[in-house]
Amino acid sequence: MEIVIAGAAGGIGLAMVQEVIERFPHANVHATYHKQPPNWQHPNLIWYHTDITQEEQVMALGEQLEHVDWLINCVGMLHTEDKGPEKNLNALDAAFFQHVITVNTLPSLLLAKHFTPLLKRSVAPRFATISARVGSISDNRLGGWYSYRASKAALNMFLKTLSIEWQRRVRHGAVLALHPGTTDTPLSAPFQANVRPEKLFTPERVARDLVGLIEQASPEDSGAFWAYDGSVLPW
Ligand SMILES: NC(=O)c1ccc[n+]([C@@H]2O[C@H](COP(=O)([O-])OP(=O)(O)OC[C@H]3O[C@@H](n4cnc5c(N)ncnc54)[C@H](OP(=O)(O)O)[C@@H]3O)[C@@H](O)[C@H]2O)c1
């Protein structure tokens, strides 16, 4: 089994790597990092230094592999060092918006384009991206977080559309948008104050839940938007 995990140096990404290595001892895991390689090695794990927003780097990663069974994209951002998600219209900033869309939405497009031919060779291909419940349009009651919400809603639309193309081209595959729940990582760290302790998950727990969902997904589930507990989220 060949598993590619993008954004594998992040809180959820690294936990996903460790979970698949434990659950599938014969799998080879190809994991990408962006800035710093994590200090975690395993004989079945290969690290690749990749900026997943750059098409030539995504293409080069694909060219190093002959076939892929699962692709899991864990890349994402909510804030930078000096900018947080917008509370209101006054906080909107064009450069921040473009940065968030580039990191949260574009990578899945590039990965789908360059990895669908490799995934097609698998007997049970899976293309899973970590999305977020706040990308749901019909579930939006609080407002705010304009860039993040828009980037995840666009990501969701892309994944749904990809699942329709896969019905023709990769009929035995499944495309999934997954919500991890609020997870204790650098991404959520500044926003954890009002989260009840039982609703703040460890990356390890989230990885167990999400890998379990990816494993049990079938082609009939393709195009689903699922929370960590398997519940169906509204678009
Ligand atoms: N944590 C939560 O509560 C929560 C809730 C809902 C959804 N999510 C989603 O879960 C996913 C994982 O988030 P996380 O909580 O694990 O956050 P995280 O710890 O901040 O990890 C995000 C990862 O994305 C990588 N990344 C950013 N820009 C990149 C680029 N241009 N190329 C390659 N990699 C890049 C980061 O690498 P560098 O740091 O090296 O740039 C980092 O490893 C995200 O899509 C997030 O939106 C998280």
Side-chain angles (χ1 to χ4, degrees), residues 186-220:
L187 181 140
S188 69
F191 311 96
Q192 293 177 2
N194 296 327
V195 181
R196 280 181 282 136
E198 70 277 14
K199 286 286 180 193
L200 181 64
F201 303 145
T202 64
E204 293 71 29
R205 182 223 150 126
V206 167
R208 258 195 318 278
D209 286 348
L210 298 186
V211 172
L213 290 176
I214 296 168
E215 188 178 12
Q216 57 138 66
S218 70
E220 291 73 48

Side-chain angles (χ1 to χ4, degrees), residues 13-208:
L14 184 58
M16 296 290 275
V17 168
Q18 293 167 338
E19 178 65 25
V20 293
I21 282 181
E22 193 181 313
R23 205 182 276 230
F24 309 112
H26 300 296
N28 294 313
V29 180
H30 308 271
T32 78
Y33 68 93
H34 180 216
K35 293 191 189 123
Q36 293 286 329
N39 188 16
W40 200 84
Q41 306 291 338
H42 187 278
N44 298 354
L45 171 65
I46 305 172
W47 284 108
Y48 301 81
H49 185 199
T50 313
D51 182 342
I52 223 80
T53 67
Q54 300 298 314
E55 180 158 10
E56 62 284 3
Q57 294 193 31
V58 174
M59 193 165 76
L61 178 67
E63 283 169 357
Q64 295 178 65
L65 305 173
E66 291 204 341
H67 108 252
V68 175
D69 295 289
W70 288 14
L71 189 143
I72 308 173
N73 176 15
C74 305
V75 170
M77 66 166 287
L78 173 59
H79 56 90
T80 59
E81 266 173 31
D82 55 356
K83 260 200 184 307
E86 309 90 345
K87 290 196 174 116
N88 54 44
L89 285 174
N90 292 337
L92 285 178
D93 176 88
F96 181 74
F97 175 76
Q98 280 169 352
H99 186 193
V100 173
I101 289 271
T102 301
V103 173
N104 288 349
T105 314
L106 180 65
S108 283
L109 277 69
L110 300 177
L111 288 163
K113 178 178 172 188
H114 293 286
F115 282 77
T116 289
L118 302 173
L119 285 155
K120 208 175 161 176
R121 297 176 189 153
S122 168
V123 290
R126 308 274 196 275
F127 186 99
T129 297
I130 314 297
S131 182
R133 183 193 292 267
V134 297
S136 166
I137 293 173
S138 50
D139 189 52
N140 184 357
R141 280 177 284 259
L142 289 175
W145 292 24
Y146 283 95
S147 298
Y148 189 72
R149 283 186 189 277
S151 71
K152 292 292 188 178
L155 168 69
N156 287 350
M157 178 55 96
F158 171 72
L159 293 169
K160 179 73 187 176
T161 308
L162 174 66
S163 75
I164 293 168
E165 181 160 345
W166 270 35
Q167 281 169 15
R168 295 192 299 273
R169 287 179 63 192
V170 194
R171 296 169 80 154
H172 55 304
V175 176
L176 303 170
L178 300 173
H179 168 62
T182 306
T183 312
D184 185 9
T185 68
L187 181 140
S188 69
F191 311 96
Q192 293 177 2
N194 296 327
V195 181
R196 280 181 282 136
E198 70 277 14
K199 286 286 180 193
L200 181 64
F201 303 145
T202 64
E204 293 71 29
R205 182 223 150 126
V206 167
R208 258 195 318 278

